[in-house]
Amino acid sequence: MQFNFTEEQQAFADSVRRFALTHLEKDALRRAHDPRYPFDVAKLMSAQGLMGITLAEADGGQGGTLTDAVIAIEQVAAICPRSADVVQFGNFGPMRTFAEYATPQQKARWLPDLLQGRMVMSLGITEPDAGSAATDLKTSAKPDGADYIINGSKVFSTFSPDAAIFLIYVRYGPGLGGIGSVIVERGAAGFTIGKPSRFMSGEEWSELHFDDCRIPAENVLLGPGGFKQQIAAFNVERLGNSARSLALGRYAYERAREHTLTREQFGRPLCEFQGLQWKFAEMAIKLDAAQLLLYRAATNADRRLPSAYETAVAKAACNQAGFEVANDAIQAMGALGYSSETLVEYCMRRCRGWMIAGGSIEMLKNRIAEHVFDRRFDQRPPRAKPQAAE
Ligand SMILES: Cc1cc2nc3c(=O)[nH]c(=O)nc-3n(C[C@H](O)[C@H](O)[C@H](O)COP(=O)(O)OP(=O)(O)OC[C@H]3O[C@@H](n4cnc5c(N)ncnc54)[C@H](O)[C@@H]3O)c2cc1C
């Protein structure tokens, strides 16, 4: 067992840090308050080899590992928290699921633009009546000659105001086995993108409406029965979510630590008050513990898809640690931490959302409990027992 980076990992981390200091540090505050996807950052990252780190070289990726991609998020977020979203998109988001299951034709058509930062993709799973119970989704895909006709609505999709293509979970038929996914392009007939709404984080999302939206059969990503494959790939997205939670918690912690070393009250630096020392000790324990769980899930997966259990444990730990630490960092910095002149309050708002997005902490705990007891716990109400015949 080893708890240090290898020489190559350390060299990679150093190179990403240098890149972030040179290109991302200057506008970090402005970027955090801009709701739109930073295409300029995506292009810079593409040139630096930070998009498609885990994708095969044949697909235009770097052939690296999930741990490399986690390192990239950490190093970028330490300098510019908002730019970590681009590392997420380029390595963990729907693009990773797409690259896993797309046909050679689909890859040739969309991957170059996605990997070179010219295009962003949005993921549509959640519907007004299907949140945590994602398999209740109703958006339908019905074959019609050489096409499919899509009907339904999606909500809360990240990057939806900026995306050129959408990976949409659809229902071809009843039950779990009827679920799969399609790619819908912005501008497709019958596809309407609503006015942007705003999350507490400042990010925007738009309602997506499909009214007899016609797409060619070549846009099917996974046919009926694809749900399990999609969710397996979604564990990669969850690790990216975990990495950002932790990295933004650590960003807030570092700013608060620096502040506490220099800010004086009652004639002495704040770090000399035991009430704050213990707060920072607890913050350090939470960050380190969550980080080890994240590295375990990422390292054990390497180039494969990560384990559902290790991912659930890592995400729950990182989401909790990120939010609690960022929240404590605000407290330690007083009004300055609460002000939008620092990125500490931004980190807290972003971390709050990741406790809900991509599998809420409660749903992750349900998954962990199934592993603990080695049995399935159905979340749906028990079916009424058939009445015995008189
Ligand atoms: C920042 C952000 C980004 C997002 N991005 C996307 C995206 O890109 N694409 C997309 O499709 N969706 C996205 N979502 C939506 C997200 O996936 C859903 O919000 C999530 O699945 C929860 O669904 P819900 O909000 O409808 O809450 P509900 O499912 O209504 O749940 C409400 C509360 O009840 C709890 N709960 C529900 N069921 C159980 C249970 N069985 N046991 C215990 N507790 C339970 C939940 O944990 C939650 O706390 C995003 C959300 C956020 C906040």
Side-chain angles (χ1 to χ4, degrees):
M1 206 170 288
Q2 254 245 39
F3 288 98
N4 296 316
F5 285 164
T6 62
E7 261 178 51
E8 293 77 35
Q9 285 170 332
Q10 191 57 58
F12 176 63
D14 293 344
S15 77
V16 179
R17 183 173 171 80
R18 279 194 302 274
F19 162 81
L21 284 169
T22 310
H23 296 287
L24 306 176
E25 188 177 32
K26 189 167 145 274
D27 282 328
L29 187 63
R30 177 197 58 74
R31 229 173 261 125
H33 295 287
D34 182 345
R36 307 320 288 263
Y37 183 73
F39 284 101
D40 55 335
V41 171
K43 290 192 184 101
L44 285 171
M45 285 195 185
S46 174
Q48 184 70 17
L50 297 179
M51 303 288 273
I53 293 171
T54 62
L55 264 56
E57 286 171 86
D59 288 337
Q62 310 297 323
T65 64
L66 258 178
T67 308
D68 294 334
V70 167
I71 291 171
I73 282 202
E74 289 177 347
Q75 294 300 323
V76 165
I79 307 296
C80 176
R82 168 71 165 146
S83 293
D85 293 349
V86 180
V87 188
Q88 166 80 13
F89 172 70
N91 298 283
F92 298 89
M95 186 165 74
R96 180 68 170 73
T97 309
F98 175 78
E100 191 77 22
Y101 303 121
T103 62
Q105 291 74 19
Q106 290 171 335
K107 288 184 187 179
R109 183 156 173 213
W110 287 304
L111 268 185
D113 279 343
L114 292 167
L115 285 171
Q116 286 162 33
R118 292 191 292 269
M119 187 189 263
V120 70
M121 181 189 245
S122 181
L123 175 67
I125 306 177
T126 312
E127 298 183 359
D129 294 327
S132 301
T135 54
D136 283 356
L137 68 90
K138 292 196 195 91
T139 298
S140 62
K142 301 257 179 269
D144 185 46
D147 297 334
Y148 275 83
I149 307 292
I150 315 295
N151 275 293
S153 300
K154 298 286 177 183
V155 285
F156 303 136
S157 293
T158 298
F159 303 143
S160 40
D162 292 309
I165 59 172
F166 297 76
L167 196 168
I168 303 294
Y169 280 35
V170 290
R171 178 169 290 295
Y172 298 99
L176 191 68
I179 300 176
S181 55
V182 296
I183 303 295
V184 183
E185 291 177 89
R186 179 179 283 263
F191 178 28
T192 322
I193 302 172
K195 200 165 70 53
S197 299
R198 221 170 239 237
F199 286 129
M200 170 185 175
S201 58
E203 299 160 278
E204 291 183 348
W205 62 274
S206 295
E207 283 187 19
L208 309 177
H209 298 288
F210 306 94
D211 299 301
D212 287 334
C213 168
R214 183 174 289 274
I215 58 158
E218 301 94 79
N219 284 20
V220 169
L221 183 66
L222 284 165
F227 186 76
K228 286 202 172 141
Q229 283 162 284
Q230 283 165 190
I231 284 297
F234 192 62
N235 283 325
V236 176
E237 175 136 15
R238 286 183 167 163
L239 284 190
N241 173 314
S242 313
R244 279 182 303 162
S245 295
L246 192 65
L248 267 62
R250 199 172 279 286
Y251 180 97
Y253 164 88
E254 285 299 341
R255 299 295 82 74
R257 192 183 69 81
E258 288 158 4
H259 178 82
T260 311
L261 277 166
T262 52
R263 163 87 172 158
E264 290 192 6
Q265 286 296 286
F266 301 99
R268 55 203 299 207
L270 292 177
C271 68
E272 291 183 6
F273 298 116
Q274 194 176 52
L276 286 174
Q277 290 168 9
W278 285 9
K279 194 183 279 300
F280 276 86
E282 278 168 23
M283 290 153 85
I285 293 167
K286 285 177 189 171
L287 290 174
D288 280 0
Q291 187 139 31
L292 290 173
L293 292 169
L294 171 63
Y295 285 175
R296 178 181 71 168
T299 306
N300 282 346
D302 192 8
R303 287 187 179 81
R304 300 181 314 275
L305 299 178
S307 124
Y309 169 71
E310 289 184 358
T311 302
V313 172
K315 183 174 183 292
C318 290
N319 289 164
Q320 266 167 214
F323 173 71
E324 287 168 14
V325 168
N327 198 32
D328 279 348
I330 293 179
Q331 193 66 21
M333 289 180 72
L336 187 60
Y338 191 58
S339 149
S340 56
E341 266 73 54
T342 75
L343 283 169
V344 175
E345 60 83 35
Y346 168 78
C347 289
M348 185 276 284
R349 287 186 285 116
R350 290 301 306 276
C351 287
R352 187 67 190 83
W354 292 320
M355 298 164 89
I356 300 167
S360 67
I361 290 193
E362 292 77 15
M363 293 307 289
L364 295 170
K365 286 181 180 169
N366 290 342
R367 179 69 189 75
I368 294 166
E370 291 190 331
H371 180 92
V372 170
F373 294 105
D374 194 20
R375 54 166 283 200
R376 196 166 176 278
F377 296 108
D378 199 338
Q379 303 298 311
R380 296 176 193 282
R383 287 205 193 106
K385 291 208 177 97
Q387 297 287 320
E390 302 238 332

